[in-house]
Amino acid sequence: MPHRKDTNYSSISVSTYLELQPHNDSPKSLRNPSYDEAERYLGSKIVHHGDDDDDFEIDVDNYPLVVVGPNNGSGVPGAVFNLTTTIIGAGIMALPATMKVLGIGFGIILIIVMGILSEISVELLVRFSVLCKASSYGEVVQHAMGRPARILSEICIVVNNAGVLVVYLIIMGDVMSGSVHHLGVFDQLMGNGVWDQRKLVVFVVMVVFLAPLCSLDKIDSLSLTSAASVALAIMFVVVAFTVAFIKLMEGQIDPPRMVPDLSSKTAILDLLVVIPIMTNAYVCHFNVQPIYNELEQRSPQKMNRVGRITTVLCILVYASTAVSGYLLFGNDTESDVLTNFDRDLGIRFSSALNYIVRVGYILHLILVFPVIHFSLRQTVDALVFEKLPPLAESKKRSLGLTVVLLLLIYLGSTTIPSIWTAFKFTGATTAVSLGFIFPSLVALRLSHQGVLSRGEWMLSWLMLVLAVIVSIVGVIGNIYSIRSKS
């Protein structure tokens, strides 16, 4: 490969990729963003066409490039925590109810399959994001399918993330202040009082806890809170699984159903509704680019490692939660399983465990909230203020968007009746689009660049067809369900 002595970079041969390392931190090398963003997956070839440094070109061809300049971002653990936090949110609370419909055997299989397919779609998204030098989900969609597709994808992100955050506030209100059928934590601890006013309690939590975290400008700033949220989620899983195991050993739990119930039209309708909810469980794709952008010494290989670790962790957490929640409450499992923890669990220290589970998961949702909000704010800014400088350069615009979005999310939480209503619609539309339809379309549209194997091409088509079927069936099932109830 040609090499000039006066260039700021020297080539280093590596078995799987080539690194470009600056000799110094000269102003020129720091000013030129093309060097910092010249990462290419599946190879690049460096060509010089003269004596001017401006003729330095990178052709996507043979050798992967990784920029190893100054990059003080998050490491793999921080990225795993942020991505895991994006996935494990309120969706985990709806999984026991889906297990009640699917049966334990079929439900576990579906959890594993959806996790694997989601991980494959994330790796495809990372590959083509780096190939296109896209810094956001919308940018890679635009590169593959044009500006209208980008706008549609960003609208899906806004609807999906806003819906998820509304669900978080609904759960917080259900657990703290109670609902029509369940007592809240405050009522059980202190009796009736001002804390029975659900809207007031949620508003105070939003102002005191959520607003300060949501005002942070970088997703890497949330790595520690994400780690704490993952620990709290695991604590919930451990407690629920331990209680279920003890009751199972004592013979207090009836044998669970292993397959879906297809004995009635209502049961079949429930099955059509819950499958899209399962697709909602792994949607994290809108945060993949922000997390990758802030990954220390980032490379597609390192991001793929982050995704695979995250997927294994989420499958374990999801399967444990779904099975233990269904075993504990059986056919009485609520759409938000946290509300089931206001009763005697039938073991020693039941009351204390109930408080630990509910309060711990409220803290988990408080720490997850800003991670989802980060992508929501970035996407709204890209849609509304496209011509203005990046959001990180305008503190006033960032704070203004944060306040407006939090108020709208709060208003949404006061009008939507339950998390099941929100999940079944977002799962069948925006979630399946962001997690499977758009990544598959991006891969298929950019496959002409020769970076997609035949197996990956066939898998992309399979994911696309399955996602479209799930979306259509889910929407029809939701509409029919509403009509039948009315």
Side-chain angles (χ1 to χ4, degrees):
M1 179 179 65
H3 173 64
R4 287 173 47 238
K5 293 182 179 179
D6 58 343
T7 183
N8 290 324
Y9 294 85
S10 63
S11 60
I12 302 175
S13 177
V14 182
S15 59
T16 56
Y17 55 84
L18 183 69
E19 298 178 348
L20 295 183
Q21 293 182 310
H23 287 310
N24 54 57
D25 292 338
S26 65
K28 184 173 183 179
S29 65
L30 293 177
R31 279 199 310 267
N32 193 339
S34 65
Y35 296 132
D36 290 330
E37 297 299 329
E39 299 171 64
R40 290 289 191 277
Y41 194 39
L42 295 178
S44 297
K45 183 167 55 182
I46 303 174
V47 182
H48 294 279
H49 298 292
D51 295 329
D52 193 347
D53 280 342
D54 291 338
D55 290 328
F56 180 90
E57 294 182 2
I58 300 177
D59 297 327
V60 178
D61 230 0
N62 299 316
Y63 306 101
L65 283 178
V66 178
V67 174
V68 192
N71 186 351
N72 297 320
S74 64
V76 169
V80 168
F81 287 135
N82 279 331
L83 195 59
T84 303
T85 301
T86 305
I87 296 175
I88 300 179
I92 194 175
M93 295 296 103
L95 288 180
T98 64
M99 197 66 67
K100 178 177 68 173
V101 176
L102 297 171
I104 286 184
F106 186 65
I108 290 178
I109 291 173
L110 200 56
I111 286 174
I112 295 173
V113 170
M114 294 306 302
I116 293 173
L117 290 177
S118 179
E119 162 58 17
I120 292 172
S121 67
V122 166
E123 292 195 10
L124 289 173
L125 195 63
V126 170
R127 178 185 306 183
F128 290 107
S129 297
V130 174
L131 185 70
C132 306
K133 292 203 301 186
S135 60
S136 68
Y137 190 100
E139 284 185 17
V140 70
V141 171
Q142 179 174 344
H143 188 92
M145 293 177 287
R147 179 173 170 77
R150 171 181 180 161
I151 293 174
L152 180 60
S153 70
E154 290 178 338
I155 291 173
C156 286
I157 293 175
V158 171
V159 174
N160 183 80
N161 289 25
V164 167
L165 295 182
V166 165
V167 166
Y168 288 1
L169 294 187
I170 292 173
I171 292 178
M172 292 177 195
D174 285 346
V175 174
M176 291 186 293
S177 297
S179 61
V180 177
H181 304 291
H182 297 277
L183 287 174
V185 171
F186 290 151
D187 281 335
Q188 289 182 305
L189 285 174
M190 299 175 287
N192 294 331
V194 68
W195 42 84
D196 288 337
Q197 301 180 34
R198 172 197 182 102
K199 295 178 181 179
L200 176 61
V201 170
V202 172
F203 185 79
V204 170
V205 170
M206 189 178 68
V207 171
V208 176
F209 298 103
L210 299 179
L213 291 173
C214 289
S215 64
L216 297 174
D217 294 329
K218 295 180 63 179
I219 197 168
D220 180 48
S221 304
L222 299 169
S223 294
L224 291 178
T225 59
S226 294
S229 73
V230 172
L232 289 168
I234 292 175
M235 181 195 72
F236 168 80
V237 172
V238 170
V239 172
F241 196 82
T242 302
V243 173
F245 181 77
I246 292 173
K247 296 187 69 173
L248 188 64
M249 292 296 99
E250 294 177 351
Q252 299 184 43
I253 294 177
D254 296 329
R257 192 175 67 253
M258 300 301 294
V259 295
D261 178 13
L262 303 177
S263 60
S264 66
K265 187 169 72 173
T266 302
I268 295 174
L269 185 63
D270 287 339
L271 180 63
L272 297 180
V273 170
V274 301
I275 291 178
I277 293 176
M278 192 70 76
T279 66
N280 202 5
Y282 288 98
V283 174
C284 61
H285 302 65
F286 48 81
N287 260 350
V288 169
Q289 278 87 357
I291 292 172
Y292 176 78
N293 293 342
E294 297 181 16
L295 187 62
E296 185 179 12
Q297 294 185 340
R298 59 188 180 270
S299 72
Q301 293 90 341
K302 181 177 284 189
M303 189 63 197
N304 289 344
R305 187 162 70 250
V306 169
R308 290 165 189 172
I309 295 171
T310 299
T311 300
V312 172
L313 180 59
C314 290
I315 287 175
L316 292 175
V317 170
Y318 277 170
S320 301
T321 303
V323 171
S324 59
Y326 175 47
L327 288 177
L328 279 176
F329 306 112
N331 291 328
D332 295 328
T333 306
E334 299 284 348
S335 59
D336 174 9
V337 74
L338 275 183
T339 57
N340 284 110
F341 282 90
D342 67 341
R343 66 186 70 175
D344 186 2
L345 297 177
I347 64 171
R348 296 178 62 188
F349 311 112
S350 173
S351 179
L353 289 175
N354 280 337
Y355 287 129
I356 291 172
V357 164
R358 289 183 291 171
V359 173
Y361 213 82
I362 288 299
L363 294 175
H364 165 76
L365 292 182
I366 289 174
L367 298 177
V368 171
F369 194 101
V371 177
I372 308 299
H373 175 271
F374 179 88
S375 293
L376 175 63
R377 184 180 61 195
Q378 296 291 108
T379 306
V380 170
D381 182 72
L383 276 170
V384 180
F385 303 107
E386 184 179 5
K387 304 294 184 181
L388 296 182
L391 190 62
E393 299 178 10
S394 176
K395 190 69 175 178
K396 286 185 177 180
R397 193 165 87 245
S398 179
L399 290 176
L401 275 176
T402 299
V403 171
V404 171
L405 290 174
L406 288 179
L407 288 176
L408 291 175
I409 291 165
Y410 172 74
L411 292 175
S413 71
T414 63
T415 57
I416 296 177
S418 73
I419 71 170
W420 197 255
T421 303
F423 270 135
K424 67 184 181 182
F425 277 102
T426 58
T429 54
T430 58
V432 73
S433 297
L434 294 172
F436 300 101
I437 293 179
F438 280 118
S440 298
L441 288 173
V442 167
L444 292 171
R445 287 298 297 269
L446 296 177
S447 62
H448 64 276
Q449 299 191 16
V451 292
L452 204 63
S453 68
R454 181 168 180 79
E456 290 170 333
W457 182 85
M458 294 175 64
L459 189 58
S460 297
W461 268 112
L462 177 63
M463 283 197 297
L464 179 61
V465 171
L466 290 177
V468 171
I469 292 174
V470 167
S471 182
I472 293 173
V473 170
V475 170
I476 293 174
N478 288 331
I479 293 173
Y480 188 81
S481 176
I482 291 174
R483 289 184 60 186
S484 62
K485 287 181 180 179
S486 63

